[in-house]
Amino acid sequence: MKVLGLLRHAKSEEHQPSGRDYDRGLNPKGRRAAAAMGRALARVEPPFERVVASAAARAQETIDIALDAMGRSAPVERVDDKKLYLADPGQLIDSAVEHGGNADSLLLVAHNPGLEELVLQLVPADPEDRLRAIAEQKFPTGAFALIELDIADWSELPRARGRLIALTRPRDLDPALGPEYAG
């Protein structure tokens, strides 16, 4: 059994002085959401053994803040992967296979639409699955999905199907982090 966590970066700045999307950091609301999500991630069982994060500034800032908020529950190992910047589901799977190693629990920190598409690819459609229905509507900034996979090795992930056992959005933790509230 493997557990895969997917964390979308928190809300980012609209513009960056460099003009490069890759360099955009978090806005104040995004920093609050990253801390709230980190506190929620600290309660995930089993705790994550490894985190693999996009090297883009907003993903790096998200995981830095979240790991800080996780405290002792923070993963033992961290890998920053440039290939996760705007990665599609196949690239996300490739990164998990490459970096998963012997970890039973892995957290990927990346971007949409790849993360949302990966949730929908790994978790079969089921009209009774309320969490998947929420993910189908939108996987907003700062959202976290936890997928349980009946696999023995990460190399099996490309063919795996799993069960969505948790889906948390920042607004689920604090309504002020929802879309109806300004920065």
Side-chain angles (χ1 to χ4, degrees), residues 3 6 8 13 35 50 57 60-61 77 100 106 133 135 158 161 169 171 182:
V3 177
L6 304 174
R8 184 176 174 199
E13 305 168 316
R50 185 170 297 139
Q60 290 289 301
E61 193 173 352
E77 298 179 46
L106 179 66
R161 294 299 168 262
R169 302 164 295 182
R171 69 174 160 221

Side-chain angles (χ1 to χ4, degrees), residues 124-139:
D126 176 353
E128 302 296 316
D129 189 341
R130 184 183 64 79
L131 295 178
R132 190 180 191 284
I134 293 169
E136 283 177 18
Q137 289 176 348
K138 185 174 185 182
F139 195 73

Side-chain angles (χ1 to χ4, degrees), residues 54-69:
S54 163
R58 58 192 177 272
Q60 290 289 301
E61 193 173 352
T62 297
I63 195 56
D64 288 344
I65 292 169
L67 289 173
D68 217 30

Side-chain angles (χ1 to χ4, degrees), residues 42-115:
R43 297 187 297 270
V44 170
E45 291 294 333
F48 292 106
E49 297 170 63
R50 185 170 297 139
V51 62
V52 182
S54 163
R58 58 192 177 272
Q60 290 289 301
E61 193 173 352
T62 297
I63 195 56
D64 288 344
I65 292 169
L67 289 173
D68 217 30
M70 288 174 78
R72 288 205 240 180
S73 305
V76 176
E77 298 179 46
R78 175 176 172 174
V79 175
D80 296 328
D81 187 346
K82 289 181 179 182
K83 296 179 295 224
L84 289 185
Y85 175 63
L86 304 181
D88 64 30
Q91 292 164 310
L92 291 163
I93 287 172
D94 289 347
S95 184
V97 169
E98 178 182 351
H99 300 294
N102 62 352
D104 288 326
S105 56
L106 179 66
L107 175 64
L108 296 181
V109 183
H111 312 265
N112 255 5
L115 287 175

Side-chain angles (χ1 to χ4, degrees), residues 149-165:
L149 300 151
D150 190 15
I151 58 175
D153 190 86
W154 291 108
S155 64
E156 299 172 56
L157 186 59
R159 296 167 306 288
R161 294 299 168 262
R163 187 170 67 92
L164 187 58
I165 57 175

